[in-house]
Amino acid sequence: MAETTQQGSGNVADRNLALELVRVTEAAAIAGGHWVGAGDKNSADGAAVDAMRSFLSTVDFNGTVVIGEGEKDEAPMLFNGEQVGSGEGPASDVAVDPIDGTRLTALGMNNALAVIAVADGGSMFDPSAVFYMDKLVVGPEAADMVDLRLPVKQNIHLVAKAKGVKPNQVTVCVLDRPRHQGLVEEIRATGARTRMILDGDVAGAIAACREGTGVDMMMGIGGTPEGIVTACAVKATGGVIQGRLAPTDEAERQKAEDAGLDVDRILTTDELVTSDNCFFAATGITDGDLLRGVRYRGRTIATQSIVMRSRSGTVRMVEAEHLAKKWEKYERLHA
């Protein structure tokens, strides 16, 4: 049953919208999951986008995609500015990633997710000026202690102290990129361990905020849109994300300045998403630190999802079993 509260937020509908949005991520995961290990990330993404868009139209809310497939993908659906949902109710910002980790899906590797986040209209940071940001994500224990401006060693020691462990018992999730060579060396110099991921830093970031994942922190430069999606989820966990824009060249730096952005400023969780009423849903496509991937079992399809609402601080794990024949239209077709 959906949650209700006595007093509305004045914006996004007061029901727990995430419980409806999980149907959307389940659909994207099931459709995209047929392409796991097939080596074709474009077909995987196309299938997931089609399924997500179809199911979004059935959800009763008035959404505008502010973080979508984007111009770089020349997306015909779920593009920035597209109206989604039934159109009922107050305006909402929507961030979608039908597959966070298309390459992971194509290669059959861990941590691919179908993701959606929704917040009050006008509350999500506009990431269009700078595509990358330097990020630091930790869970609730160390949320009030870390600071992106501090040396890597100091932040690791602060997390270790907050968790009551030694630095060599801290695991830091880092995207496997050449740009992170120095960061990885600094982390390992403290005795801390690294968990390198090929893609999918939304999964890695949320894992840093959840117990039992084996991840204590996430650090490094990743996508700004993914940072905003992460902020919606982090708000429900009590953790924190801090970000600093990371222009790739002088032209992008100038673009940020023209947009009135300070690239040296540390952006807090509440600046990345100003609303206190955020909804987040993700469904595993492949197995990972956060969720189990889609399981195709002949007559049935099994999914595992995580559903969050920041206003109530509620996090739910959703195990679902779907009749395969109801999903035949999304099956991968062989030549």
Side-chain angles (χ1 to χ4, degrees), residues 149-194:
R149 293 165 293 193
L150 295 175
V152 170
K153 178 179 179 179
Q154 189 171 348
N155 276 320
I156 289 173
H157 279 264
L158 287 169
V159 170
K161 180 179 179 181
K163 292 198 163 194
V165 300
K166 297 177 180 179
N168 64 8
Q169 294 174 300
V170 172
T171 298
V172 186
C173 184
V174 183
L175 276 171
D176 189 2
R177 299 288 187 275
R179 63 177 177 262
H180 289 148
Q181 181 179 347
L183 171 62
V184 169
E185 290 173 356
E186 286 188 75
I187 292 169
R188 291 174 178 167
T190 70
R193 297 168 288 190
T194 55

Side-chain angles (χ1 to χ4, degrees), residues 263-280:
V263 296
D264 297 316
R265 178 183 174 86
I266 301 299
L267 297 166
T268 66
T269 309
D270 287 335
E271 288 172 317
L272 291 171
V273 182
T274 59
S275 172
D276 288 325
N277 198 32
C278 304
F279 305 89
F280 175 91

